[in-house]
Amino acid sequence: MEKGRRRHIAVHEVIFNGQTLNMCILDIDDGIITGYHQFNAEEPMVEWVGGVMELRYDECGNIIAYRNGARFI
């Protein structure tokens, strides 16, 4: 992901802190998750990625998304 790039992606499931949330939108700034929320209707400017994202903290305390065991960028 290029520096300064902001993305909003939609996925089927988010796993974070032992919780599973269905139908979520992730806000990503420079590869770091800055927010997420569940949705039940389409939202503008959201890229549908689908699948399952696992969110984990990195060594600096940032939240990072992983898909199929690899960092999602």
Side-chain angles (χ1 to χ4, degrees), residues 1-72:
M1 180 180 298
E2 67 189 54
K3 185 99 172 123
R5 186 160 178 216
R6 178 175 288 176
R7 294 172 76 184
H8 305 283
I9 63 167
V11 296
H12 289 99
E13 286 185 353
V14 167
I15 301 170
F16 187 47
N17 285 336
Q19 258 190 329
T20 300
L21 303 172
N22 294 310
M23 304 305 284
C24 285
I25 292 176
L26 303 174
D27 303 319
I28 305 173
D29 259 330
D30 292 331
I32 297 170
I33 304 300
T34 57
Y36 62 94
H37 65 276
Q38 290 183 284
F39 70 97
N40 56 14
E42 275 191 47
E43 294 185 20
M45 307 300 291
V46 174
E47 172 187 355
W48 180 259
V49 174
V52 178
M53 289 285 183
E54 182 181 354
L55 306 184
R56 304 179 203 159
Y57 289 103
D58 69 6
E59 61 279 350
C60 297
N62 298 311
I63 302 172
I64 307 297
Y66 291 82
R67 186 173 187 192
N68 299 323
R71 185 172 174 167
F72 180 81

